[in-house]
Amino acid sequence: MPPSEVGQRLDRFVAAQCPELSRTRVQELIEAGLVLVDSRAAKGSHRLRGGERISVRVQPRPPLRAEAESIPLDILYEDDDVVAINKPAGMTVHAGAGNIRGTLVNALLGRGQALSRGGDALRPGIVHRLDKDTSGIILVAKNDAAHAKLGEAFRRHSIKKTYVALVHGVLKEERGTIDLAISRDPKRRVRMTARRSMVLSDAREARTDWCVLARVDGATLVEIRLHTGRTHQIRVHFSALRHPVVGDTLYGAAAQMRVGKITLSGLGRNFLHAAKLGFSQPRTGAWVELRAPLPENLRAFLQQLTAAADESSGPIDAALARYL
């Protein structure tokens, strides 16, 4: 170890020296005793003194498995082929590195749910996803035939997805289309970007239609229709317009919203809800239209916002009547 690294934490030093390893993976290796300082296991918080010999023994992760857990779910619709869940904000859809408990898949398995097995072993039944901090309707396949039919329907954009979001700033037009390609942000890999997408090789076309439901002080409540299903699409597109989704600090929203001199309570999630979903039943072809009521915490935030702005809640209530 070079003298310039004296005083640095072991975990941070290893992460910097081994960029191919995530910080989570570095912590796992340290906890497993596979990172040695002068041939001895050490904690991640160990401060380096300089001159030590550090060795890292990288081993493949043991395969993750989706385990059943007893977690209550809000079932909106169910038949022999599909089940539709009203997913709460804060719940991850499926397990991944560093996150193997409390997911939607864990909960589905916990109710003895038969799920399609044609895809990833960690994602049985999962045909599409919602971000962790987005609530609302998610459709799950119970068998491989349904999975294939629904997957094809998503690819053909024949499944109708409608969201409700509150965004910062006042949108001047009554409706519009955001047609910006999306790719992984090359500087911050946890984000996507639409700003440089046209010059990045992995950019994928994306289209978002929106219309205004109501305006309150410095925010706009919008209904959103997706024509593509890119990662973080709504969040990226509205951030690119400089109207980030309220609560979405990853894409530029303030942690707490201000109305004049009043600071509102932190929302603790993104104000983004998958409110409606329409699809053809994969076996019969019958059209099924589902709705998920706007969660109570989002309704309470709107009430807080209108009260702080000293505005009537009437326009908001009227706009949201079909979402309650």
Side-chain angles (χ1 to χ4, degrees):
M1 190 208 79
S4 60
E5 303 294 345
V6 170
Q8 186 167 186
R9 285 172 56 112
L10 175 63
D11 51 3
R12 293 177 183 171
F13 174 78
V14 173
Q17 298 300 314
C18 303
E20 71 278 10
L21 300 176
S22 68
R23 289 189 178 183
T24 298
R25 186 60 180 140
V26 169
Q27 290 289 353
E28 290 173 352
L29 293 172
I30 290 172
E31 290 172 4
L34 297 175
V35 177
L36 305 180
V37 178
D38 291 335
S39 302
R40 293 185 178 183
K43 294 182 178 180
S45 58
H46 173 79
R47 297 284 178 178
L48 301 174
R49 300 186 304 275
E52 298 106 312
R53 177 183 173 84
I54 299 171
S55 62
V56 180
R57 185 180 166 198
V58 180
Q59 293 183 345
R61 276 195 179 104
L64 294 175
R65 292 192 311 159
E67 302 285 352
E69 288 186 81
S70 180
I71 302 171
L73 291 173
D74 181 7
I75 308 296
L76 297 174
Y77 172 87
E78 186 171 13
D79 61 28
D80 290 340
D81 301 299
V82 300
V83 57
I85 312 297
N86 184 11
K87 185 189 83 69
M91 173 181 274
T92 302
V93 170
H94 59 77
N99 180 37
I100 61 173
R101 298 291 181 188
T103 73
L104 176 63
V105 168
N106 295 130
L108 287 166
L109 293 173
R111 70 191 293 260
Q113 186 71 66
L115 299 171
S116 64
R117 295 286 177 176
D120 190 319
L122 284 177
R123 309 175 188 182
I126 301 303
V127 186
H128 68 121
R129 287 179 288 177
L130 292 178
D131 296 338
K132 178 179 179 180
D133 287 326
T134 298
S135 56
I137 307 171
I138 184 166
L139 200 57
V140 177
K142 287 185 171 184
N143 53 64
D144 291 348
H147 194 126
K149 284 283 189 72
L150 292 173
E152 179 60 24
F154 274 106
R155 284 188 288 275
R156 289 188 285 105
H157 313 306
S158 59
I159 292 180
K160 308 302 181 186
K161 296 178 288 182
T162 305
Y163 294 73
V164 172
L166 184 69
V167 301
H168 283 279
V170 176
L171 292 167
K172 296 180 181 179
E173 305 296 329
E174 292 304 312
R175 61 184 63 248
T177 294
I178 309 170
D179 194 1
L180 296 171
I182 291 174
S183 65
R184 182 72 58 182
D185 190 319
K187 295 183 178 179
R188 297 182 63 186
R189 302 297 292 175
V190 296
R191 288 169 36 119
M192 307 300 286
T193 181
R195 293 181 181 177
R196 298 179 56 203
S197 296
M198 299 308 293
V199 297
L200 294 177
S201 60
D202 64 342
R204 303 178 69 187
E205 65 177 71
R207 176 184 163 189
T208 303
D209 291 346
W210 57 268
C211 67
V212 171
L213 294 175
R215 298 177 179 89
V216 184
D217 194 72
T220 307
L221 189 69
V222 288
E223 178 184 274
I224 299 164
R225 288 281 302 275
L226 288 184
H227 294 270
T228 49
R230 309 305 179 212
T231 301
H232 299 178
Q233 179 172 323
I234 293 172
R235 300 162 63 191
V236 175
H237 271 174
F238 279 93
S239 178
L241 296 186
R242 300 187 184 278
H243 292 284
V245 173
V246 169
D248 191 3
T249 56
L250 182 63
Y251 286 100
Q256 290 182 280
M257 191 172 177
R258 289 184 61 85
V259 178
K261 295 182 179 180
I262 301 173
T263 300
L264 304 186
S265 301
L267 186 55
R269 56 162 295 182
N270 303 331
F271 199 120
L272 182 58
H273 177 66
K276 295 195 292 184
L277 188 145
F279 68 100
S280 293
Q281 206 285 341
R283 189 188 303 264
T284 68
W287 185 252
V288 180
E289 188 86 35
L290 303 176
R291 298 190 180 198
L294 196 69
E296 180 58 36
N297 60 347
L298 298 187
R299 295 167 61 185
F301 187 85
L302 288 173
Q303 292 172 354
Q304 185 185 173
L305 174 60
T306 54
D310 196 23
E311 296 184 20
S312 168
S313 63
I316 291 280
D317 294 340
L320 289 177
R322 61 183 181 273
Y323 300 109
L324 300 178

